[in-house]
Amino acid sequence: MFEVYIHVPFCLRRCGYCDFNTYTATDLGAGASRGNYANMVIREMKLTKQWQLDHGIAEPPVSTVFFGGGTPTILAARDLVAMLDAIRKIWGIAPDAEITTEANPDTVNEYYINELAAGGFTRVSFGMQSAVPHVLKTLDRTHTPANVAAGVNAANKAGLRSSVDLIYGAPGESLDDWRTSVTTAINLGVNHISAYALTVEPTTKMGRQIAAGTLPKPNDDDEAAKYEIADDLFAAAGLEWYEVSNWARPGYESQHNLGYWRNVDWAGLGPGAHSHYNAVTEADHPQSASLTAPAGGGCPADAGLGVVSVSHGLRSWDIAHPRLWGTAINENRVPWADSETITPEENLEELIMLGLRLHEGLDLDRINRAINDAGMSSTPQTLRTVSVDQLAPMISEGLITVSDNHRVVPTRRGRLLNDSVIEQFFDFVGV
């Protein structure tokens, strides 16, 4: 599978809890402006495609596209459609592809959503966060619950799937407030809901308020209670958890999110976006692009493919500041800030961390193959494995279950203690 993520770094205003790579200015220099952004991303697509060809990467047609931010819907709908059309021309799009954009309820209306639907979008993810006015105010959100309902109704009429995102644990949010938000989200009739615990970074406005004592710090026990409330109410409404923070009716899971958790290939486009490739062949050629970006940022896009010498996984990330990102594109360079090789041991760690977040579970047989791919056998003649018997303590603690086909699935307690589950599994594996 191959996915494309497009980061749109523009916002109307910066929310107090947000530490994403976002900006409120309309023009950030070097062509990275709201009005020209689609053109710049399309140019990055072409540079990325050339880089893939130069490094022996032949991706299938795109299975999912996700526009995130920031606020993608701060751009004109025709700009989002133009970027989608460019993906279709450059990589191709699978017939049943999932095409999603995040949306701030303040920035869309029926006409906007109809234009997305006509352009090939299949799904909209609305940033609801809460249904309680004082919680929205604490989060610096300007929309109202009525905006969210209007957006979902417009998406339904246009034949698009809808999802809503919620945040729990905001300072001053009571358990009853949270129940109200969850119930309101369910009553919208959407088939997918994400619920994330509030993470407070010290450099954000909210982080500074908490440090100064003007807002209370989020409480772990409070957040755990709210997770259990959400899980119970979602389950009663027919929404099943498929990833620690995501619930959906069967068949409505976010395929793009699942791609991340399943560790597929994806290209990230836009300032600060990350890319991931499971197998990259490096060209043995004097003029070939280094897999690590030059100190100035960006990789040349016209490197020739010589004799294949290396095959491995790769992770890269775009230059974060839009002006420097735009400068690299204007100089015909893939706008990476840097990249790194994914070693077999790191790949094993990622498989464990990602698999233990999923309802489908961690494939124990796949992990055992990865252990030996990482050269972690006790001797060359002995294959090291993790057995179900070794996992018995975690099973008895009620953290995981193991299916007959050797899939390790976290229980609800295991989801609440996910970091601990992952650490214990690391100990068994020896990473």
Side-chain angles (χ1 to χ4, degrees):
M1 289 179 61
F2 177 52
E3 303 184 333
V4 172
Y5 171 78
I6 296 176
H7 184 71
V8 179
F10 302 103
C11 280
L12 291 172
R13 61 179 290 180
R14 189 173 183 84
C15 298
Y17 63 90
C18 178
D19 72 332
F20 295 159
N21 189 38
T22 61
Y23 305 83
T24 57
T26 58
D27 191 334
L28 294 159
S33 66
R34 289 187 198 174
N36 192 50
Y37 191 70
N39 295 328
M40 296 298 289
V41 169
I42 291 168
R43 291 173 64 188
E44 183 181 1
M45 290 180 197
K46 295 174 181 177
L47 292 167
T48 300
K49 174 66 173 181
Q50 187 60 53
W51 180 89
Q52 291 174 345
L53 294 173
D54 290 342
H55 290 83
I57 300 172
E59 297 289 5
V62 174
S63 56
T64 74
V65 180
F66 195 100
F67 291 79
T71 307
T73 49
I74 205 172
L75 302 181
R78 63 178 177 275
D79 288 343
L80 301 187
V81 172
M83 288 185 274
L84 180 59
D85 287 342
I87 292 172
R88 187 175 289 109
K89 292 174 184 175
I90 292 168
W91 285 288
I93 294 179
D96 58 347
E98 176 191 88
I99 315 296
T100 304
T101 185
E102 292 181 340
N104 181 326
D106 282 345
T107 61
V108 297
N109 55 30
E110 185 173 351
Y111 302 104
Y112 191 105
I113 287 175
N114 286 342
E115 193 169 347
L116 294 181
F121 281 76
T122 65
R123 191 171 176 274
V124 182
S125 179
F126 293 96
M128 177 178 173
Q129 320 311 359
S130 176
V132 179
H134 79 84
V135 176
L136 290 171
K137 184 177 180 180
T138 299
L139 294 172
D140 279 337
R141 302 292 290 187
T142 59
H143 70 266
T144 66
N147 295 141
V148 180
V152 170
N153 289 336
N156 289 342
K157 290 180 182 178
L160 301 182
R161 293 185 174 188
S162 294
S163 174
V164 295
D165 290 353
L166 297 173
I167 292 177
Y168 57 91
E173 179 189 58
S174 69
L175 294 180
D176 284 342
D177 289 337
W178 176 238
R179 287 191 187 91
T180 296
S181 293
V182 172
T183 301
T184 302
I186 291 169
N187 290 340
L188 289 171
V190 296
N191 294 309
H192 185 285
I193 301 176
S194 301
Y196 301 103
L198 177 67
T199 300
V200 180
E201 298 296 339
T203 56
T204 62
K205 174 185 172 183
M206 181 176 285
R208 293 189 294 271
Q209 290 173 317
I210 289 173
T214 58
L215 283 179
K217 183 180 179 180
N219 178 275
D220 290 344
D221 291 339
D222 173 74
E223 290 185 344
K226 288 172 180 174
Y227 185 92
E228 292 178 329
I229 288 170
D231 197 40
D232 287 341
L233 292 174
F234 291 149
L239 296 160
E240 301 175 0
W241 81 275
Y242 70 93
E243 190 275 331
V244 168
S245 299
N246 289 275
W247 291 257
R249 300 188 196 283
Y252 288 86
E253 301 84 358
S254 167
Q255 296 306 306
H256 188 85
N257 286 345
L258 280 173
Y260 289 148
W261 305 126
R262 290 169 177 165
N263 225 20
V264 305
D265 284 13
W266 71 83
L269 307 167
H274 285 58
S275 299
H276 175 270
Y277 297 96
N278 281 297
V280 176
T281 53
E282 184 176 3
D284 183 13
H285 188 286
Q287 302 300 318
S288 66
S290 169
L291 291 178
T292 300
C299 292
D302 56 353
L305 180 62
V307 179
V308 171
S309 60
V310 181
S311 179
H312 50 65
L314 176 74
R315 183 186 298 106
S316 67
W317 48 98
D318 274 23
I319 297 166
H321 195 280
R323 179 175 56 80
L324 299 178
W325 169 84
T327 297
I329 292 172
N330 290 333
E331 294 174 355
N332 202 40
R333 294 183 287 127
V334 178
W336 288 357
D338 210 342
S339 65
E340 62 186 8
T341 297
I342 302 171
T343 67
E345 185 169 330
E346 288 169 337
N347 180 63
L348 172 61
E349 292 175 355
E350 290 182 5
L351 290 175
I352 292 169
M353 288 189 292
L354 298 172
L356 286 174
R357 293 185 65 89
L358 289 172
H359 188 271
E360 67 187 38
L362 177 66
D363 185 341
L364 202 55
D365 295 332
R366 183 182 182 189
I367 289 300
N368 285 330
R369 290 193 298 271
I371 289 171
N372 292 286
D373 287 344
M376 298 175 66
S377 299
S378 55
T379 69
Q381 294 79 29
T382 304
L383 293 180
R384 180 173 181 171
T385 60
V386 176
S387 68
V388 175
D389 289 343
Q390 286 175 283
L391 301 177
M394 296 174 71
I395 297 172
S396 64
E397 290 176 39
L399 295 173
I400 60 170
T401 62
V402 181
S403 66
D404 291 339
N405 62 348
H406 291 178
R407 284 192 171 270
V408 182
V409 181
T411 62
R412 182 157 81 178
R413 183 165 185 264
R415 283 181 271 157
L416 287 167
L417 299 173
N418 196 246
D419 288 345
S420 174
V421 171
I422 291 168
E423 287 297 327
Q424 289 188 53
F425 208 95
F426 280 172
D427 289 341
F428 286 122
V429 173
V431 296

